[in-house]
Short mmCIF file of all heavy atoms in Angstrom, two decimals:
data_model
loop_
_atom_site.label_atom_id
_atom_site.label_comp_id
_atom_site.label_asym_id
_atom_site.label_seq_id
_atom_site.Cartn_x
_atom_site.Cartn_y
_atom_site.Cartn_z
N ILE V 192 1.80 -1.44 -33.95
CA ILE V 192 1.03 -2.49 -33.27
C ILE V 192 0.75 -3.60 -34.28
O ILE V 192 0.34 -3.34 -35.41
CB ILE V 192 -0.31 -1.95 -32.73
CG1 ILE V 192 -0.05 -0.87 -31.67
CG2 ILE V 192 -1.14 -3.07 -32.13
CD1 ILE V 192 -1.31 -0.22 -31.16
N THR V 193 0.99 -4.83 -33.85
CA THR V 193 0.73 -5.99 -34.71
C THR V 193 -0.58 -6.65 -34.28
O THR V 193 -0.71 -7.07 -33.12
CB THR V 193 1.87 -7.00 -34.65
OG1 THR V 193 3.10 -6.36 -35.02
CG2 THR V 193 1.61 -8.18 -35.58
N ALA V 194 -1.54 -6.72 -35.18
CA ALA V 194 -2.83 -7.32 -34.88
C ALA V 194 -2.73 -8.84 -34.90
O ALA V 194 -1.71 -9.42 -35.30
CB ALA V 194 -3.88 -6.84 -35.89
N GLU V 195 -3.80 -9.51 -34.48
CA GLU V 195 -3.82 -10.98 -34.43
C GLU V 195 -3.64 -11.60 -35.81
O GLU V 195 -3.12 -12.71 -35.93
CB GLU V 195 -5.13 -11.46 -33.80
CG GLU V 195 -5.27 -11.13 -32.32
CD GLU V 195 -6.56 -11.68 -31.73
OE1 GLU V 195 -7.32 -12.30 -32.50
OE2 GLU V 195 -6.80 -11.51 -30.53
N ASP V 196 -4.08 -10.88 -36.85
CA ASP V 196 -3.94 -11.42 -38.21
C ASP V 196 -2.58 -11.11 -38.82
O ASP V 196 -2.33 -11.39 -39.99
CB ASP V 196 -5.06 -10.87 -39.11
CG ASP V 196 -5.05 -9.35 -39.19
OD1 ASP V 196 -4.12 -8.73 -38.63
OD2 ASP V 196 -5.96 -8.78 -39.81
N GLY V 197 -1.69 -10.51 -38.02
CA GLY V 197 -0.34 -10.24 -38.49
C GLY V 197 -0.17 -8.90 -39.16
O GLY V 197 0.95 -8.52 -39.52
N VAL V 198 -1.23 -8.13 -39.32
CA VAL V 198 -1.15 -6.81 -39.97
C VAL V 198 -0.53 -5.82 -39.00
O VAL V 198 -0.96 -5.70 -37.85
CB VAL V 198 -2.55 -6.33 -40.40
CG1 VAL V 198 -2.45 -4.91 -40.97
CG2 VAL V 198 -3.14 -7.28 -41.41
N VAL V 199 0.49 -5.11 -39.46
CA VAL V 199 1.19 -4.13 -38.67
C VAL V 199 0.63 -2.73 -38.97
O VAL V 199 0.58 -2.34 -40.15
CB VAL V 199 2.71 -4.14 -38.92
CG1 VAL V 199 3.40 -3.05 -38.12
CG2 VAL V 199 3.27 -5.52 -38.59
#
Side-chain angles (χ1 to χ4, degrees):
I192 297 176
T193 303
E195 292 182 359
D196 59 5
V198 175
V199 178

